Structure formats: structure tokens, C-alpha cells
């Protein structure tokens, strides 16, 4: 990534704030230094299930009263991202934020919600034993803890496609329904468990079932609308995955985003019925879904949708990126040795951006804590020329989010079940 250092160095406080009155009174060097320091700073931020603490806390709190949506765009696999969500849940309770939208399919989210409601984290861990990849992202201790607070009917919104591992849930549910071909469902369920246990991605249902196979499964539940709707959700999700496998990345992204937006609006309209006030929603998704600009994957995603929805209600959408510059993360991959591993954070482009923006990286590197950075002065200092020099994902971060929360000491999530 290349950023124009001369451009950054030349930008002065006078240039950023110039107007017809200010041009006549150029600030002194001392005044300019103070303004520059205040414009782009990394402020310490601590957070817990009780809320925010530290110098950066007021920066975020000031945004919440006028926010209808709080979107956390994350790098997956970090234990503190769901803790940040829980902190926002505490801080926004006074503003009636009741709902939590997650990067999980609707049917999987219903299962997750019921499992957490009945058994909490321990119950979810038990259900995931033998199938740890049945649900994405929320298969960790930290994610389950954050979601449990919303495990009441209608408060946990699953808006994504059904995950590639989700047939491990759906086939079990189908096997407990009356069927014209119970042996078929049991066989598919057993095959799925064996495929994931062995790490054979080519043998999982979404990789190998064809149109005839889906029809056979539908025939087994003819007349059962609940079963047929679940099967239809799986089939549509498989088609989205297949676009990616076949090298049609744009089709994959466009179709997935269309489904996410439709599912989100369905939940939103349901929550809106009978309520005078517009529903206020917390959400946490991968970074590409969370920004307000066209994403680096060429999609107009959920983060852009909520911007207009909030504006129509006279409110705001707050976009917060959680991206560490160091530490470790949990990586997920089916394998006979286990589904989870740890990997170091790679953040060269982000480090360069922060350094060129005047952020003291040494201060962050020697700390084990978190810092919050206001991205508005970063984008203004870069200007169009500087933004054009950024890598696509870094440019999306700067344009699409209000604040960046980062750390050099990220910790990995703790899987609820490893096998």
C-alpha cells in the first residue's frame, strides 16, 4: 500500500478548518500543534459487559443517543470483539436497543436462540460437541456469552445464508420430523458428520448434492411446509456457495448480500409492527458487510442499507471497525486434527495507514489494551488523492467506518467444542 506522505505532512490545521473568517487569522504554531494532536489520536479504551472506560469512552458515548443502529465490522476470530458488542449493549440499554443481528442464517439462529435460552453457554457447547462447525462465528465461549443476553424470542436476528456446516443442525431437526423416507435423512445426516470429522470438504452436503438430491429430500417431506421452507433455505445457500467455488465471486457476493438485506428487512418489519418507535439494533458482522461505502467486493452491503434507514427516521448509523494490528486470532478449517487453530494477526496495510496518519504505533505496541481512533480526520487528511493510493480494503475501512478500535495484543476466541 502507498500513502502520500508529503500530502499528509503538508496538511495543516488552517487548511482543515479554513473559512472566510479563519483565513484572516492563521493559528500560531502552538495552536496548530494542539489541533493536530486532537484531530487524529489513539485514545485508550477499556470495555467489559458493564460498558466503556478510559479516555476514549466519551468519544463513543456521544454517538449513541442519536444512533438507531450500531454496526461492529470485525476481523473474525478475536475474543474481544463480542466483548465489545456486550459493552455496547450495556451502554445502549438506556436508548432501548433490544435486538442483535448476527452473521448466521435465520434457521440456524432460531436453533441457536433456543439452545442458549434453554442451556446457555454449557448447553450450546454440548450441542456443538461432535459438530463444532455447525454454526459460524458464534461457536465460541465469548460469542455465546454476548448472544445469550439476546436469547429471547425475536431479539436475535439471523440474517445471513445458512452456513456450509449448518446441515449438521438442519438434518437432525428434519430427522425428528415425520417423513416419507426417514432412512434418507438419517443417511444424509451420518454422511455429513463423517465428512466434517474427516475434514473432507468435497463430501459435505453443500458440495455434492444436486438438483435430483434436493428433489428427493423435498419428496420425503411433501406437505410439511416447515420442513420444505428449511430445505429451500439450504438449497438457496448452496447455490450461493457454488458461485464462489466456480470462480464467480461477484455473483456469490451479490446474491449473498441480497439475501442478507432481505432477511434483515424481514426482521426489522416484524419488530416495527405495533411499535411507535423505530427498532434500535446492535449488529456485528465481518468488516466487508459493515461499512457504508461500496465494499471492496463490489457490493452495496448491510452497512450501507442501515445508513439510509436511520436517516429516514432522523437518526444515525454508527459504524465501528474492530481490527487488531497485532496478537492472534482463531482460524477455522475442517480437519481430522480439529477444526480450530490459532494464527498471528497480519495487518501491514493498517499499520502503514495509522503510521502515515500520525498515530503513535509504539504506544499501541507496548500496551496490551485497546485504542479508539476517529476516522473522520483520517479520511479528510488523506483527501481524494491519498484515498486513491490505498489498497481497496483499507480505503473501504477509512470511508465506511466512523471509528477504528485496535490493539496490538488481540486474543483468539475460545471454541465451545473443538471436535
Amino acid at each position: 500500500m502507498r500513502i502520500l506522505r508529503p500530502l499528509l505532512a503538508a496538511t495543516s490545521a488552517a487548511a482543515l478548518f479554513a473559512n472566510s473568517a479563519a483565513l484572516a487569522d492563521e493559528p500560531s504554531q502552538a495552536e496548530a500543534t494542539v489541533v493536530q494532536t486532537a484531530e487524529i489520536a489513539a485514545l485508550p479504551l477499556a470495555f467489559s459487559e458493564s460498558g466503556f472506560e478510559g479516555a476514549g469512552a466519551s468519544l463513543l458515548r456521544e454517538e449513541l443517543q442519536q444512533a438507531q443502529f450500531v454496526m461492529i465490522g470485525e476481523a473474525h476470530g478475536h475474543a474481544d470483539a463480542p466483548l465489545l458488542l456486550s459493552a455496547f449493549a450495556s451502554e445502549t440499554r438506556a436508548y432501548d436497543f433490544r435486538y442483535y443481528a448476527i452473521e448466521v442464517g435465520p434457521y440456524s439462529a432460531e436453533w441457536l436462540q433456543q439452545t442458549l435460552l434453554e442451556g446457555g453457554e454449557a448447553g450450546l457447547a454440548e450441542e456443538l460437541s461432535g459438530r463444532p462447525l455447525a454454526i459460524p462465528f458464534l461457536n465460541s465461549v465469548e460469542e455465546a456469552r454476548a448472544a445469550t443476553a439476546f436469547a429471547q424470542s425475536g431479539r436475535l436476528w439471523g440474517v445471513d445464508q445458512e452456513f456450509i456446516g449448518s446441515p449438521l443442525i438442519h438434518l437432525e431437526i428434519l430427522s425428528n420430523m415425520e417423513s416419507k423416507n426417514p432412512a434418507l435423512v438419517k443417511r444424509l445426516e451420518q454422511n455429513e458428520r463423517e465428512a466434517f470429522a474427516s475434514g473432507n470438504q468435497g463430501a459435505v452436503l453443500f458440495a455434492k448434492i444436486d438438483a435430483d438430491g434436493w428433489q428427493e429430500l423435498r419428496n420425503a417431506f411433501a406437505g410439511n411446509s416447515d420442513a420444505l421452507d428449511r430445505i429451500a433455505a439450504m438449497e438457496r445457500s448452496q447455490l450461493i456457495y457454488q458461485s464462489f467455488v466456480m470462480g464467480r465471486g461477484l455473483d456469490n457476493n451479490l446474491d449473498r448480500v441480497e439475501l442478507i438485506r432481505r432477511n434483515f428487512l424481514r426482521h426489522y418489519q416484524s419488530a416495527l409492527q405495533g411499535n411507535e418507535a423505530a427498532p434500535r439494533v446492535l449488529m456485528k458482522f465481518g468488516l466487508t458487510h459493515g461499512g457504508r461505502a461500496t465494499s471492496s467486493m463490489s457490493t452495496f452491503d448491510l452497512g450501507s442499507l442501515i445508513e439510509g434507514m436511520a436517516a429516514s427516521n432522523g437518526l444515525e448509523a454508527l459504524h465501528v471497525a474492530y481490527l487488531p494490528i497485532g496478537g492472534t486470532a482463531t482460524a477455522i478449517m475442517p480437519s481430522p486434527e480439529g477444526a480450530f487453530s490459532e494464527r498471528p494477526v497480519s495487518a501491514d496495510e493498517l499499520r502503514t495507514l495509522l503510521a502515515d496518519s500520525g498515530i503513535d504505533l509504539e504506544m499501541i505496541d507496548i500496551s496490551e489494551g485497546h485504542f479508539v481512533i476517529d476516522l473522520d480526520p483520517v479520511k479528510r487528511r488523506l483527501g481524494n488523492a491519498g484515498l486513491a493510493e490505498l489498497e481497496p480494503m483499507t480505503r473501504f475501512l477509512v470511508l465506511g467506518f466512523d471509528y477504528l478500535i485496535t490493539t496490538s495484543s488481540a486474543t483468539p476466541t475460545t471454541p465451545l467444542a473443538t471436535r
Side-chain angles (χ1 to χ4, degrees):
M1 178 188 72
R2 296 178 294 124
I3 301 178
L4 301 182
R5 291 179 182 270
L7 172 68
L8 299 180
T11 305
S12 68
L16 287 173
F17 294 104
N19 55 38
S20 57
L23 286 175
D25 299 305
E26 185 173 325
S28 67
Q29 183 62 41
E31 290 172 331
T33 300
V34 170
V35 172
Q36 287 283 19
T37 302
E39 282 172 6
I40 304 179
L43 300 178
L45 178 71
F47 46 87
S48 68
E49 293 178 353
S50 299
F52 303 133
E53 293 181 2
S58 60
L59 199 64
L60 297 176
R61 286 191 182 118
E62 290 173 0
E63 304 281 359
L64 298 181
Q65 185 172 358
Q66 290 302 309
Q68 182 181 359
F69 305 106
V70 174
M71 165 65 85
I72 299 173
E74 67 171 1
H76 293 306
H78 297 295
D80 282 318
L83 187 60
L84 177 63
L85 185 282
S86 294
F88 269 111
S90 178
E91 295 282 350
T92 58
R93 195 167 292 124
Y95 305 115
D96 201 26
F97 275 71
R98 301 182 186 180
Y99 308 102
Y100 178 25
I102 56 177
E103 197 173 342
V104 175
Y107 287 96
S108 296
E110 288 179 5
W111 176 88
L112 173 68
Q113 183 169 260
Q114 189 63 33
T115 301
L116 290 174
L117 191 60
E118 293 176 354
E121 297 167 40
L124 182 57
E126 183 177 352
E127 288 291 340
L128 289 176
S129 179
R131 50 179 181 180
L133 297 184
I135 200 162
F137 312 126
L138 281 91
N139 50 14
S140 73
V141 171
E142 297 82 7
E143 294 283 7
R145 191 166 297 157
T148 297
F150 296 89
Q152 300 176 26
S153 181
R155 293 185 61 193
L156 199 60
W157 295 2
V159 304
D160 201 359
Q161 67 192 41
E162 296 297 329
F163 186 53
I164 193 169
S166 68
L168 291 164
I169 294 170
H170 304 313
L171 291 170
E172 179 184 66
I173 292 173
L174 290 173
S175 71
N176 290 321
M177 295 182 179
E178 185 176 346
S179 168
K180 295 178 174 62
N181 192 350
L184 168 68
V185 185
K186 285 292 186 182
R187 175 170 54 80
L188 291 176
E189 181 185 2
Q190 182 61 33
N191 289 346
E192 196 73 344
R193 285 182 177 271
E194 291 175 358
F196 275 94
S198 66
N200 186 355
Q201 297 183 62
V204 303
L205 185 76
F206 278 8
K208 67 176 187 178
I209 191 171
D210 57 15
D212 290 338
W214 286 119
Q215 186 59 54
E216 185 179 19
L217 188 57
R218 283 193 295 271
N219 291 342
F221 293 95
N224 184 333
S225 60
D226 290 342
L228 293 175
D229 288 347
R230 186 179 296 271
I231 293 168
M234 285 195 289
E235 186 173 10
R236 176 164 185 177
S237 299
Q238 185 214 22
L239 290 174
I240 294 172
Y241 276 111
Q242 281 187 339
S243 292
F244 177 80
V245 172
M246 297 174 68
R248 301 199 309 268
L250 182 59
D251 288 342
N252 169 269
N253 293 320
L254 290 174
D255 292 343
R256 184 181 176 195
V257 169
E258 179 188 356
L259 182 62
I260 289 173
R261 293 172 63 187
R262 188 179 71 178
N263 285 335
F264 180 82
L265 290 171
R266 178 174 55 82
H267 280 292
Y268 183 87
Q269 292 298 330
S270 177
L272 189 61
Q273 292 178 4
N275 293 325
E276 294 182 4
R280 296 194 173 197
V281 187
L282 297 170
M283 52 192 76
K284 184 168 68 65
F285 286 76
L287 188 79
T288 54
H289 300 294
R292 64 169 61 87
T294 301
S295 79
S296 59
M297 295 184 177
S298 304
T299 53
F300 186 78
D301 218 307
L302 185 58
S304 294
L305 175 65
I306 60 175
E307 189 77 12
M309 292 175 66
S312 71
N313 292 312
L315 296 168
E316 302 288 340
L318 176 62
H319 303 256
V320 178
Y322 183 85
L323 289 178
I325 61 169
T328 56
T330 297
I332 300 175
M333 179 64 69
S335 166
E337 288 73 40
F340 304 98
S341 61
E342 294 183 6
R343 57 172 172 77
V345 169
S346 176
D348 291 344
E349 290 85 2
L350 180 56
R351 280 182 163 273
T352 302
L353 171 70
L354 297 181
D356 286 350
S357 299
I359 300 298
D360 184 356
L361 289 183
E362 183 178 358
M363 173 187 65
I364 300 176
D365 283 334
I366 64 176
S367 170
E368 293 184 356
H370 285 83
F371 295 82
V372 59
I373 299 165
D374 186 349
L375 290 174
D376 185 71
V378 174
K379 64 173 67 80
R380 291 177 183 274
R381 181 174 287 192
L382 284 168
N384 286 333
L387 287 167
E389 294 290 327
L390 299 178
E391 296 290 339
M393 181 58 81
T394 309
R395 183 167 58 249
F396 175 64
L397 164 68
V398 175
L399 290 174
F401 289 85
D402 301 299
Y403 297 96
L404 167 68
I405 295 176
T406 191
T407 179
S408 63
S409 303
T411 56
T413 55
T414 308
L416 284 163
T418 58
R419 294 180 181 274

